[in-house]
Amino acid sequence: MSFIEFKNVCKKYPGSDKNTVENLNLEIEEKEFIAFVGPSGCGKSTTLRMVAGFEEITGGELYIEGKKVNEVAPRDRGIAMVFQNYALYPHMTVEKNIGYGLKNMKLPADEIKKKVDWAIQILGLEEYRYRKPKNLSGGQRQRVALGRAIVKNQKVFLMDEPLSNLDAKLRVSMRTEISKLHRELGATTIYVTHDQVEAMTMADRIVIMKEGVIQQVGRPMELYDHPKNQFVAGFIGSPQMNFFDVTVENGTVHFSDGNTLPLSEATIKKLNGHQGEMILGIRGEDLKVDAQNMELNKDSHQHAVITDTEVMGNENNLYFEFGGSQAVARVSKYEISQVGDQIDFVFMPSKLHFFDKETGVNYMEEV
């Protein structure tokens, strides 16, 4: 049995006509870093709170280290939790905030001091030891909240959007700190976020949820390159994957504006006979404008007029109307175009995704 295991876990709130979390089945290995992502209301925080014991499980079974914990009190589950709002005691100094939980556990004073000193050192809080929360920055407060969790030396860490109150620069640095902390402590971490960049950069595996149902579980690049459905494809990646309403007939894609795209034999084979109306998806970096790719795919050149640009420093995003939709190409910073310029581009043949218009299933990932 895995370290943490969900078996058909459901959550239904009183007065609701459907489950907030629906038949969740998932196995999490010891020392793994798992991120739950999805839009607001998808059930990710509810799932975390069921692991913590703050929400009652209304169906199914939850196991931690092989022990069913549905009815086990939060304090007896061997978990530590970091919240979005820090939840620090305003009248206590940094060291007292970190050690407060240990004091409640009736640990000897010398052991508490040893653990608090260790946490303060590992989190770089030494110069703030005697400050109170009001005299700390957002990042410093978040580190104190992390310190309060790690001193308990639990095997499971639960983090509920811990970085959402920080500015962009602090979020990046704290992502690095949390990842480093996870590796040093060797704990199993479940991390909830709405930010797919956090999930992609920190997690061993990502769980993508929608309306209480798991859509896909996988390593970051697995989800990026091989999404099982259109929701996953659109949720992971920035800018979002390009989507076009198309009709596929006899090995050719027909766009709504009259443009066509011949498909390779490999793509036709992967489509496995699927034809008719569907959604074509392709990521911005797989719309190529460079000379080499234009030459390699000279039989399928496309044309459009640039309507907007984003200069990102390391790359440029070029926006244009094509196939009845707005599309974006992610290109090198050296490939510069202006609004009103014509763009010539090709679709990378091996990077096409075709989704069912009704179910969203990715035909290219069918087993």
Side-chain angles (χ1 to χ4, degrees):
M1 178 174 280
S2 299
F3 189 72
I4 299 175
E5 187 169 355
F6 299 81
K7 290 186 175 182
N8 298 312
V9 169
C10 299
K11 176 63 182 179
K12 186 175 184 180
Y13 288 102
S16 175
D17 58 354
K18 68 175 186 177
N19 289 337
T20 299
V21 175
E22 182 73 44
N23 291 329
L24 193 149
N25 289 281
L26 179 67
E27 295 182 0
I28 300 173
E29 300 302 326
E30 189 171 11
K31 299 183 180 181
E32 193 171 20
F33 193 122
I34 290 281
F36 279 75
V37 297
S40 297
C42 72
K44 57 187 184 294
S45 289
T46 299
T47 300
L48 192 79
R49 292 176 66 82
M50 285 193 288
V51 177
F54 300 155
E55 294 283 0
E56 179 185 359
I57 296 172
T58 49
E61 299 171 337
L62 174 64
Y63 295 86
I64 299 178
E65 287 193 279
K67 177 184 177 182
K68 184 179 176 181
V69 297
N70 290 47
E71 307 299 329
V72 174
R75 65 178 178 274
D76 299 323
R77 295 192 180 195
I79 61 162
M81 191 160 183
V82 181
F83 297 93
Q84 175 181 347
N85 63 358
Y86 316 138
L88 302 180
Y89 296 105
H91 62 287
M92 293 185 182
T93 62
V94 165
E95 67 172 3
K96 288 184 178 179
N97 261 289
I98 292 174
Y100 186 73
L102 301 177
K103 187 177 180 181
N104 284 345
M105 294 166 66
K106 310 296 185 183
L107 293 183
D110 59 338
E111 185 175 348
I112 292 175
K113 185 178 186 309
K114 183 178 179 181
K115 287 178 176 289
V116 170
D117 287 346
W118 168 77
I120 285 176
Q121 180 181 11
I122 201 172
L123 291 168
L125 291 168
E126 185 59 52
E127 64 179 291
Y128 311 108
R129 176 188 288 265
Y130 302 111
R131 291 190 189 181
K132 293 181 180 179
K134 68 179 180 180
N135 297 318
L136 301 174
S137 69
Q140 291 157 1
R141 292 178 193 174
Q142 190 61 75
R143 288 205 295 273
V144 176
L146 285 168
R148 189 173 53 191
I150 67 175
V151 291
K152 294 180 181 178
N153 197 30
Q154 304 288 18
K155 293 184 177 181
V156 180
F157 285 104
L158 307 179
M159 301 190 182
D160 190 6
E161 304 211 36
L163 308 184
S164 61
N165 290 334
L166 304 182
D167 62 41
K169 185 176 180 180
L170 268 177
R171 288 175 78 114
V172 173
S173 63
M174 285 302 298
R175 288 204 306 256
T176 303
E177 288 193 34
I178 290 175
S179 296
K180 180 181 178 183
L181 199 57
H182 168 77
R183 291 192 298 270
E184 290 180 353
L185 298 177
T188 304
T189 301
I190 303 178
Y191 188 100
V192 164
T193 178
H194 66 278
D195 186 336
Q196 51 103 2
V197 175
E198 282 182 19
M200 290 285 287
T201 55
M202 297 172 70
D204 297 318
R205 288 190 299 154
I206 299 172
V207 180
I208 300 183
M209 297 186 71
K210 176 188 177 186
E211 297 178 355
V213 178
I214 291 179
Q215 301 296 301
Q216 189 171 351
V217 181
R219 294 189 175 279
M221 290 311 299
E222 177 186 349
L223 301 181
Y224 190 84
D225 290 331
H226 303 285
K228 289 186 176 180
N229 59 43
Q230 187 180 354
F231 176 80
V232 174
F235 192 85
I236 294 292
S238 180
Q240 186 186 64
M241 179 181 284
N242 297 300
F243 295 114
F244 306 92
D245 286 302
V246 300
T247 301
V248 177
E249 292 179 348
N250 301 321
T252 300
V253 176
H254 298 269
F255 295 88
S256 62
D257 60 1
N259 283 296
T260 60
L261 175 68
L263 296 178
S264 67
E265 290 298 324
T267 300
I268 293 171
K269 184 177 180 180
K270 289 192 76 173
L271 271 170
N272 195 28
H274 290 295
Q275 292 204 72
E277 293 185 357
M278 57 187 75
I279 305 293
L280 183 155
I282 188 166
R283 298 205 179 275
E285 64 267 28
D286 297 321
L287 295 178
K288 298 295 188 181
V289 301
D290 62 285
Q292 182 177 3
N293 277 296
M294 294 293 287
E295 176 63 25
L296 287 172
N297 300 280
K298 56 187 175 183
D299 296 330
S300 57
H301 285 193
Q302 309 294 340
H303 314 283
V305 175
I306 295 174
T307 58
D308 199 5
T309 63
E310 290 178 339
V311 178
M312 308 298 290
N314 60 326
E315 64 186 14
N316 296 320
N317 293 331
L318 308 180
Y319 292 87
F320 52 91
E321 296 291 331
F322 182 84
S325 302
Q326 178 175 265
V328 57
R330 295 176 65 185
V331 302
S332 162
K333 66 180 180 180
Y334 303 110
E335 293 162 333
I336 302 172
S337 297
Q338 306 296 325
V339 172
D341 289 351
Q342 178 171 293
I343 180 174
D344 298 321
F345 64 97
V346 292
F347 289 76
M348 288 293 287
S350 62
K351 299 297 185 179
L352 300 175
H353 301 271
F354 290 92
F355 304 97
D356 184 281
K357 289 193 75 169
E358 299 298 324
T359 66
V361 168
N362 189 351
Y363 293 139
M364 309 301 282
E365 299 299 328
E366 287 184 329
V367 178

